[in-house]
Amino acid sequence: MPFLGQDWRSPGWRWIKTEDGWKRCEPSSSELEEENNRLNDISHAVILDNDEEIYNADCEFASKKRKKDHFRNNAKSQYFYGEKWIYVHKESTKERHGYCTLGEAFNRLDFSSAIQDIRRFNYVVKLLQLIAKSQLTSLSGAAQKNYFNILDKIVQKVLEDQYNPRLIKDLLQDLSSTLCTLIRGVGKSVLVGNINIWICRLETILLWQQQLSNLQMTKQVNNGCTLSDLPLHMLNNILYRFSDGWDIITLGQVTPTLYMLSEDRQLWKKLCQYHFAEKQFCRHLILSEKGHIDWKLMYFALQKCYPIKEQYGDTLHFCRHCSILFWKDYHLALLLKDTGHPCTANDPNSCFMPVSPQHFIDLFKF
């Protein structure tokens, strides 16, 4: 009797091959026996009766395979996996053979649902941007398809909801630059897939960029309280909550009052102190005409030289005890005490570690 616990060392699921593809079945179910009996009957029926029957069977099988491949190539949905976690192993062990790749992790983790959550949206976009800059050629063919399908959903979401278009424009700009370099240097770098497919993807990206450049923010008419009706101290507190200088500048363009508050020296000083160290200030001192430190210009000068701190509403988590990468659903964790993965630790919460987008990429560098 096999051991079917939640431990990652369990034998796993059993699969049977049907006409519609591989299907997962329970070990105790009778589907496996029925399928095996059906396959045995077919195999006995095709035993060298004559050459014509064998030829017809081969043609029918090839026709079904072409239809299945055509359906998979035209599919716009992400490959489905029941679990939203993946075991990160970098070497072979007695229980597991091989290692986990970036493309496999990208397929297994549920990024299609993550972009619908406003807490995880920026995290997924930043991760796609890092992959576009350096790790695009590391993805397999299936992972590339999922990558561009998720990117398509992101663009459509931005066009519908008008949420953070500047972040998506930066992502598409980096991705188009990478694709242009790969297409021009074809043969010099490892490019998975046909060159014509990459050219079509580049044309799609250019179309997305044009759609985003023509995007106009629509003003929703609301008879209630607006941002301009708030007192100055509340508007000032809102500006102090921002961690990105470009967001402060964008909000300052709404009204003259917000522009005046966005030019406050103390606001930009706090922003510089949050992202950068004092030693970095001394190397890039920028003085204004009155002899004071221009903190606004210093922020953008330091941003070009040093990385800024990243803030996300929700991130992927890594369990140090189980070596599993997963999404942690806080609502299920509170209601059902679900950790998000089959953890065997006595105190699972003490083993969890948030994973930044760059750390996610580093986990699969060997």
Side-chain angles (χ1 to χ4, degrees):
M1 186 68 182
F3 174 72
L4 298 177
Q6 291 185 341
D7 194 346
W8 58 269
R9 292 168 294 186
S10 62
W13 298 98
R14 301 178 69 179
W15 298 79
I16 59 173
K17 189 174 183 180
T18 63
E19 295 180 357
D20 299 328
W22 289 91
K23 183 178 179 182
R24 189 175 69 186
C25 67
E26 299 292 340
S28 59
S29 66
S30 60
E31 296 180 359
L32 183 62
E33 297 179 359
E34 295 177 358
E35 187 64 21
N36 289 333
N37 295 331
R38 188 181 67 83
L39 292 176
N40 291 331
D41 296 339
I42 294 175
S43 61
H44 289 301
V46 187
I47 295 178
L48 295 181
D49 291 334
N50 53 49
D51 296 339
E52 184 177 357
E53 292 183 0
I54 297 176
Y55 177 77
N56 293 334
D58 293 339
C59 292
E60 184 180 358
F61 175 76
S63 177
K64 290 182 179 180
K65 187 176 185 304
R66 284 196 299 269
K67 290 181 180 179
K68 187 184 297 184
D69 293 340
H70 179 72
F71 172 77
R72 289 176 177 175
N73 291 333
N74 295 334
K76 291 294 183 181
S77 61
Q78 187 185 18
Y79 288 87
F80 176 77
Y81 291 93
E83 299 86 2
K84 298 180 181 180
W85 52 267
I86 185 170
Y87 176 78
V88 182
H89 51 108
K90 297 186 178 182
E91 58 184 6
S92 298
T93 61
K94 294 181 179 180
E95 294 83 4
R96 290 178 175 268
H97 296 281
Y99 58 91
C100 182
T101 62
L102 177 62
E104 183 181 356
F106 193 82
N107 287 339
R108 290 288 299 272
L109 297 172
D110 191 13
F111 290 108
S112 295
S113 300
I115 61 175
Q116 304 300 328
D117 192 341
I118 193 172
R119 300 171 303 165
R120 301 174 178 176
F121 182 83
N122 292 353
Y123 181 87
V124 176
V125 173
K126 182 63 177 178
L127 179 59
L128 295 183
Q129 189 175 10
L130 291 177
I131 293 176
K133 288 182 179 180
S134 60
Q135 301 295 323
L136 190 61
T137 56
S138 301
L139 300 179
S140 62
Q144 290 175 8
K145 184 182 294 185
N146 286 339
Y147 181 93
F148 284 95
N149 288 342
I150 293 172
L151 185 59
D152 184 16
K153 294 180 181 179
I154 290 176
V155 173
Q156 299 305 322
K157 177 179 176 60
V158 173
L159 293 176
E160 294 175 1
D161 301 343
Q162 302 174 357
Y163 176 73
N164 207 345
R166 178 175 58 83
L167 190 63
I168 313 304
K169 290 180 181 178
D170 295 340
L171 167 60
L172 294 179
Q173 182 62 36
D174 293 337
L175 185 58
S176 61
S177 301
T178 303
L179 288 184
C180 289
T181 304
L182 292 175
I183 292 174
R184 290 173 185 173
V186 62
K188 300 179 181 179
S189 60
V190 180
L191 192 63
V192 178
N194 191 289
I195 185 63
N196 296 324
I197 297 178
W198 288 100
I199 293 176
C200 293
R201 288 171 176 172
L202 181 59
E203 293 176 353
T204 304
I205 292 172
L206 296 178
L207 177 62
W208 288 338
Q209 288 179 324
Q210 183 179 2
Q211 292 176 349
L212 291 174
S213 62
N214 297 331
L215 178 64
Q216 294 183 356
M217 309 297 285
T218 58
K219 183 177 179 181
Q220 298 180 357
V221 179
N222 190 358
N223 297 327
C225 181
T226 61
L227 189 63
S228 303
D229 298 331
L230 297 177
L232 291 179
H233 72 277
M234 295 185 66
L235 294 176
N236 197 34
N237 287 333
I238 293 175
L239 287 172
Y240 271 85
R241 304 296 182 188
F242 284 24
S243 61
D244 192 344
W246 287 108
D247 293 336
I248 296 177
I249 293 178
T250 303
L251 184 60
Q253 297 174 352
V254 177
T255 61
T257 303
L258 288 173
Y259 176 77
M260 178 190 66
L261 295 175
S262 65
E263 294 294 322
D264 184 17
R265 291 181 63 253
Q266 192 67 21
L267 171 64
W268 291 99
K269 180 180 179 181
K270 292 289 185 182
L271 193 63
C272 290
Q273 291 176 346
Y274 173 75
H275 287 288
F276 310 106
E278 295 183 1
K279 295 181 179 180
Q280 299 170 348
F281 296 160
C282 301
R283 299 175 183 176
H284 301 81
L285 281 177
I286 300 177
L287 301 180
S288 62
E289 297 179 355
K290 298 181 180 180
H292 301 292
I293 298 177
D294 195 334
W295 292 103
K296 181 178 179 180
L297 294 179
M298 275 191 60
Y299 169 80
F300 291 104
L302 293 170
Q303 189 182 24
K304 296 179 181 179
C305 302
Y306 308 102
I308 62 175
K309 293 182 180 179
E310 299 176 355
Q311 284 186 340
Y312 302 103
D314 191 11
T315 66
L316 284 169
H317 286 74
F318 182 76
C319 181
R320 294 187 294 268
H321 178 77
C322 306
S323 297
I324 287 180
L325 193 64
F326 66 98
W327 288 107
K328 182 179 180 181
D329 196 330
Y330 294 96
H331 298 288
L332 291 178
L334 294 176
L335 296 176
L336 306 177
K337 295 183 179 180
D338 186 7
T339 60
H341 75 287
C343 187
T344 57
N346 295 328
D347 187 10
N349 292 326
S350 63
C351 304
F352 296 165
M353 177 182 65
V355 178
S356 65
Q358 185 59 51
H359 188 196
F360 178 88
I361 301 294
D362 296 337
L363 281 175
F364 304 98
K365 288 183 178 180
F366 306 111

